[in-house]
Amino acid sequence: MTTTNEYILTWQCPDNSGVLAKVSQSLFLHGAFIMETSQYSDPYTDTFFSRIAFDDRNLTVAEDEFITALDELAKPLNMTYQFRRKNQVPNIVIAVSKDDHCLVSLLTKWKSGALPVNIVAIVSNHNDCKSLANWHEIPFYHLPISKDTKSQQEEKMLAIMKKYHADLLVLARYMQILSDNLCQQLQGRAINIHHSFLPSFKGAKPYHQAHKRGVKVIGATAHYVTADLDEGPIIVQEVKPINHTFTIEQMVHMGHDIEATALSHAVRFHAEQRVCLNGSKTVILV
């Protein structure tokens, strides 16, 4: 039995009549066997977004020739795209501080095969999660941060990403604010989990603030990191209903579960090339 390779093509371009037909026709002419497709036309930005998964069972050209054909197709359409083999999953570095609930969720889903990534390193400003990293045989880097060492430690973090050819930095309750310079260098390549349903209840003790206000839902928000704190493009939001009987402790415990779920979903969407940046928002192609 001949083994087939599966591919993912995610693309976007100015929305004009026939853009999907032109891309689909090119795939057809080169023998791509389409297995999954999703698309969205944004009427506010006049942008067309699409994700196509296909295999090479009938492909009539070599992979490099196919990429050349994509480049030629992209120019007149003013199209940007991401293209890779499905099994070439992204390498990720996880940054964490003391709380490990999000890290544990990512590690568990990665080990089970539910999260299509390679976790190549864990960095932290504390040593609390070192034993967990060691148990999973993942390189652990302790990068304590002070006002005087922040820039040097961020350079080390970038060096670690470069060393392991990491495509994404995941902030799994990493309780440090990244510098504007690092945010710019990692634009679209760093995901953070915010411990509330943005944009409400920013800052310290969000669950205490929510409890004081008598909220009826609590939530978490996974978003891309930008220089504007907690205002990056939102990828996933999860919420759970609560009522007046919930204690602060119960809200914290439920919140941890929601944070872990939201972050895992966001990392999976990014890894599967389902997320397209659309200005200050995202388009999720599922």
Side-chain angles (χ1 to χ4, degrees):
M1 182 177 178
T2 304
T3 302
T4 58
N5 295 306
E6 296 183 15
Y7 298 89
I8 301 173
L9 171 65
T10 304
W11 55 280
Q12 64 190 73
C13 68
D15 196 5
N16 291 299
S17 179
V19 291
L20 180 58
K22 291 176 182 177
V23 175
S24 299
Q25 179 70 3
S26 178
L27 292 174
F28 171 74
L29 290 174
H30 291 93
F33 191 92
I34 295 175
M35 300 179 295
E36 179 187 345
T37 180
S38 54
Q39 52 274 328
Y40 172 67
S41 174
D42 187 348
Y44 299 101
T45 62
D46 291 322
T47 305
F48 189 85
F49 304 86
S50 180
R51 178 185 184 274
I52 301 173
F54 64 93
D55 69 32
D56 63 356
R57 71 184 75 175
N58 298 324
L59 210 63
T60 57
V61 295
E63 188 175 308
D64 57 346
E65 293 179 71
F66 186 85
I67 293 173
T68 299
L70 279 177
D71 287 337
E72 293 174 354
L73 176 68
K75 291 175 184 176
L77 295 179
N78 194 19
M79 173 179 117
T80 58
Y81 70 87
Q82 292 176 280
F83 174 72
R84 66 170 174 85
R85 291 191 182 188
K86 184 178 179 180
N87 61 5
Q88 293 174 338
V89 298
N91 295 331
I92 71 170
V93 170
I94 300 176
V96 64
S97 289
K98 292 185 176 183
D99 291 335
D100 64 3
H101 54 283
C102 289
L103 174 62
V104 168
S105 176
L106 292 170
L107 290 170
T108 301
K109 292 181 182 298
W110 166 61
K111 281 288 189 180
S112 70
L115 195 62
V117 299
N118 289 321
I119 299 177
V120 293
I122 296 171
V123 300
S124 180
N125 55 326
H126 298 280
N127 269 315
D128 298 59
C129 296
K130 184 176 182 179
S131 59
L132 183 60
N134 291 341
W135 191 84
H136 284 276
E137 299 181 333
I138 299 172
F140 179 88
Y141 295 87
H142 181 215
L143 303 178
I145 290 181
S146 68
K147 187 176 181 180
D148 296 328
T149 64
K150 186 179 180 72
S151 60
Q152 295 96 317
Q153 300 297 57
E154 288 191 342
E155 286 299 321
K156 290 180 181 178
M157 189 179 294
L158 283 173
I160 291 166
M161 292 187 67
K162 184 177 181 179
K163 175 181 178 180
Y164 292 99
H165 306 286
D167 308 283
L168 180 70
L169 176 67
V170 178
L171 307 181
R173 290 306 302 271
Y174 180 65
M175 306 306 288
Q176 291 289 323
I177 298 173
L178 303 187
S179 68
D180 290 357
N181 178 54
L182 186 58
C183 290
Q184 291 169 4
Q185 292 191 63
L186 295 178
Q187 185 175 14
R189 298 194 301 124
I191 295 175
N192 185 36
I193 184 67
H194 185 83
H195 46 203
S196 72
F197 191 71
L198 289 174
S200 299
F201 309 122
K202 296 181 181 180
K205 298 184 176 180
Y207 297 113
H208 293 69
Q209 296 179 54
H211 186 268
K212 186 176 181 180
R213 293 284 298 275
V215 300
K216 297 300 182 273
V217 296
I218 58 173
T221 302
H223 62 93
Y224 285 116
V225 176
T226 64
D228 296 320
L229 183 62
D230 296 328
E231 294 185 16
I234 293 170
I235 306 169
V236 171
Q237 291 186 296
E238 297 281 343
V239 296
K240 290 284 186 179
I242 62 170
N243 59 43
H244 59 278
T245 67
F246 277 65
T247 65
I248 293 174
E249 290 75 19
Q250 288 174 316
M251 290 171 64
V252 170
H253 293 156
M254 180 180 285
H256 282 180
D257 290 340
I258 299 170
E259 291 164 15
T261 299
L263 184 59
S264 294
H265 286 338
V267 172
R268 180 172 63 83
F269 285 159
H270 179 95
E272 293 178 347
Q273 288 183 201
R274 297 185 183 276
V275 187
C276 295
L277 288 172
N278 187 22
S280 60
K281 301 186 295 183
T282 62
V283 171
I284 310 297
L285 298 168
V286 294

